[in-house]
Amino acid sequence: MRRPSTHDAIVIGAGPAGTSLGLVLARRGWAVAIVEKSVFPRRKVCGEYISASNLALLDRLEIGDAWRANAGPEIRRVGFFSGQTNVEAPMPGAKYGPEDGFGRALGRDILDFLLLQAARSAGAEIFQPCRAVAIDQDGDMQAVRIQARDENSRDEATILRAPVIVAAHGSWDPGTLPSQLEKASLSSDLLGFKAHFTGSSLAPDLMPLLTFPGGYGGMVFADHGRMSISCCKRRDMLARLRRDRGFEHDGIKQDGNLSAADAVFRHLMASCRGVSDALDGARLDGPWLAAGPIRPGIRACYERDIFRVGNAAGESHPIIAEGISMALQSSWLLATEFAGAPSGRAGREIAGRRYRAAWRGLFSTRVYAAAAIARMALSPGGAALMGAAVRNFPQALTLGAHMSGKTRAIPGLR
Ligand SMILES: Cc1cc2nc3c(=O)[nH]c(=O)nc-3n(C[C@H](O)[C@H](O)[C@H](O)COP(=O)(O)OP(=O)(O)OC[C@H]3O[C@@H](n4cnc5c(N)ncnc54)[C@H](O)[C@@H]3O)c2cc1C
């Protein structure tokens, strides 16, 4: 075991929540360690859309220019594709400067790498690929045990110590940390899938919500002509599709078990005209990825002297595409509370209480709104009802985008 090294804060996970927090704290002069188990750049299950409500924050993080230079086209229309139904409505802009700003999508291989590089340049020490496996009290400090594989595939352990520990490890990976969620497997679980395609005919400024039996998803153009398609599908529905020897695609009967990705792709193509039109002649760019089950809900923001940001603190159904926003913005809220709090355990308790109140004020509505929309999309007949509603009242899509937080300003930022 290596000698323990000491920091002001240890951040576990280098998704948008972990890197943005590490970046802000390092710029303030904190000694920050970021621990990430995967090698970057890496692709990730995610629709990759970032709302315009984040423009001011991206600029404050000083990655706004790089994000604009790399991200896909502005998304000025929101859509609803379900069965034979295709409906569109204006996407509301978010006030930023003299004009309205619009959201755009950027591949997570690029976004997460960009943020990590910025955190490194700000002075954060990066431990990667390293998995955090335990957190223990160590006097006034806490000790985080991290493991890396050496060249002989043996695990090499290191202890990092800091008074402030931040769980930014997301919510989809099981693990041994007190902040990680217990593993569960239910037939109603939603599993996440995502792929990139090139050559798609989807309108570049349109982001449609997709519904299909047993799931929902979305499509959007990201960087370099890559169209990102992502979806969530019920575990029991997926199992049925994979087993179903009578499943037909392009008039051809399928035989034997399908891979999960094949089953998802074929089901999307067969059940949603908007998807089959958009992917007609398109080429898969890289593999289909899977993750989950996803765990929507509101969790603790500060518990057992561990702060949580991003999905670790709470997660909305991806049907509203607000997870990256919540990851970036929750870290901003926590960094703001750290700035005003006294040091020591009592100061951490104060910061934890204030951060929890700020988190709930900013995100609770969108978590509940997303749960209601997802419940409707997943219920039998629900998608047909949604289709009828948006056909008659397309403005409901614009309203839904407002309610999901896409235009909501971040406290303390303009
Ligand atoms: C199908 C789907 C589509 C989505 N589409 C969108 C969208 O279009 N827009 C949007 O805003 N959101 C979307 N989301 C949600 C979004 O992907 C997440 O909310 C977001 O990634 C959360 O960021 P995070 O930083 O909290 O966690 P993550 O991005 O999950 O990052 C956590 C990091 O921690 C690392 N890690 C985990 N455990 C450990 C450990 N023990 N030690 C070290 N490192 C560890 C992981 O490797 C990972 O890099 C979608 C989600 C799904 C499932």
Side-chain angles (χ1 to χ4, degrees):
M1 170 131 24
R2 294 227 191 110
R3 212 163 51 83
S5 59
T6 300
H7 296 82
D8 295 319
I10 300 166
V11 180
I12 302 168
T19 45
S20 59
L21 182 70
L23 167 59
V24 173
L25 297 181
R27 285 214 185 112
R28 264 186 216 157
W30 289 39
V32 177
I34 299 179
V35 183
E36 169 56 51
K37 69 180 171 61
S38 310
V39 176
F40 281 15
R42 55 98 177 85
R43 296 185 186 210
K44 193 168 169 62
V45 171
C46 184
E48 309 181 320
Y49 172 78
I50 300 188
S51 298
S53 58
N54 297 288
L55 291 173
L57 179 51
L58 293 172
D59 282 339
R60 187 65 74 92
L61 295 173
E62 296 175 25
I63 64 149
D65 288 343
W67 179 78
R68 285 182 191 87
N70 284 283
E74 287 188 339
I75 301 303
R76 289 170 176 260
R77 289 183 296 153
V78 55
F80 179 84
F81 290 0
S82 178
Q84 296 298 311
T85 300
N86 286 3
V87 181
E88 294 162 17
M91 175 70 92
K95 277 269 159 285
Y96 185 48
E99 292 174 359
D100 274 359
F102 289 89
R104 297 161 69 174
L106 177 60
R108 290 290 299 270
D109 44 351
I110 301 178
L111 175 73
D112 291 18
F113 193 51
L114 201 71
L115 277 162
L116 187 66
Q117 296 285 56
R120 194 193 308 271
S121 305
E125 193 177 351
I126 316 294
F127 294 83
Q128 184 184 36
C130 282
R131 182 185 289 272
V133 292
I135 304 173
D136 296 301
Q137 203 64 42
D138 182 6
D140 284 345
M141 305 281 251
Q142 298 190 72
V144 178
R145 174 190 282 259
I146 64 173
Q147 281 180 349
R149 283 267 147 97
D150 68 15
E151 61 275 15
N152 300 316
S153 296
R154 279 191 308 253
D155 284 333
E156 192 179 336
T158 306
I159 301 288
L160 303 178
R161 296 165 74 245
V164 171
I165 307 297
V166 182
H169 46 55
S171 55
W172 308 333
D173 290 304
T176 48
L177 302 176
S179 48
Q180 281 177 314
L181 300 174
E182 276 172 28
K183 202 169 164 52
S185 177
L186 302 170
S187 56
S188 58
D189 281 342
L190 283 178
L191 304 174
F193 293 89
K194 129 36 173 323
H196 285 134
F197 283 85
T198 54
S200 164
S201 59
L202 180 71
D205 65 341
L206 175 67
M207 182 168 70
L209 161 66
L210 316 173
T211 70
F212 44 88
Y216 61 75
M219 295 192 290
V220 67
F221 261 103
D223 50 278
H224 302 94
R226 298 190 293 180
M227 197 275 278
S228 177
I229 179 166
S230 61
C231 66
C232 291
K233 194 155 204 65
R234 275 181 64 118
R235 190 192 289 277
D236 49 2
M237 179 64 162
L238 182 64
R240 208 174 318 140
L241 288 173
R242 294 181 67 181
R243 272 196 316 265
D244 187 359
R245 286 165 186 261
F247 189 75
E248 272 192 31
H249 179 64
D250 282 349
I252 301 167
K253 283 234 177 211
Q254 305 300 313
D255 198 20
N257 271 4
L258 291 169
S259 75
D262 269 348
V264 166
F265 177 58
R266 290 172 185 203
H267 191 229
L268 276 168
M269 294 288 277
S271 58
C272 190
R273 176 168 63 90
V275 174
S276 54
D277 286 351
L279 292 184
D280 186 25
R283 287 169 308 284
L284 184 65
D285 180 274
W288 273 91
L289 305 177
I294 62 158
R295 313 287 285 270
I298 296 177
R299 296 179 262 279
C301 284
Y302 176 65
E303 195 177 61
R304 299 204 220 171
D305 211 8
I306 301 171
F307 295 92
R308 301 166 187 217
V309 288
N311 273 19
E315 176 179 3
S316 60
H317 270 272
I319 198 158
I320 61 167
E322 276 296 295
I324 303 173
S325 304
M326 290 171 62
L328 293 169
Q329 295 177 21
S330 60
S331 289
W332 176 255
L333 296 180
L334 179 58
T336 306
E337 298 308 337
F338 279 152
S343 59
R345 174 88 190 229
R348 295 200 292 278
E349 298 278 350
I350 293 169
R353 265 199 310 278
R354 288 187 180 156
Y355 166 55
R356 177 180 182 275
W359 195 103
R360 299 218 165 186
L362 191 56
F363 302 129
S364 297
T365 308
R366 76 189 80 173
V367 174
Y368 296 132
I373 302 169
R375 205 173 309 121
M376 174 161 273
L378 292 166
S379 69
L385 214 66
M386 287 169 84
V390 297
R391 264 196 311 272
N392 287 309
F393 184 57
Q395 300 89 324
L397 293 171
T398 311
L399 196 69
H402 274 296
M403 280 177 59
S404 68
K406 296 206 160 15
T407 51
R408 181 135 183 212
I410 306 168
L413 282 176
R414 277 274 155 233

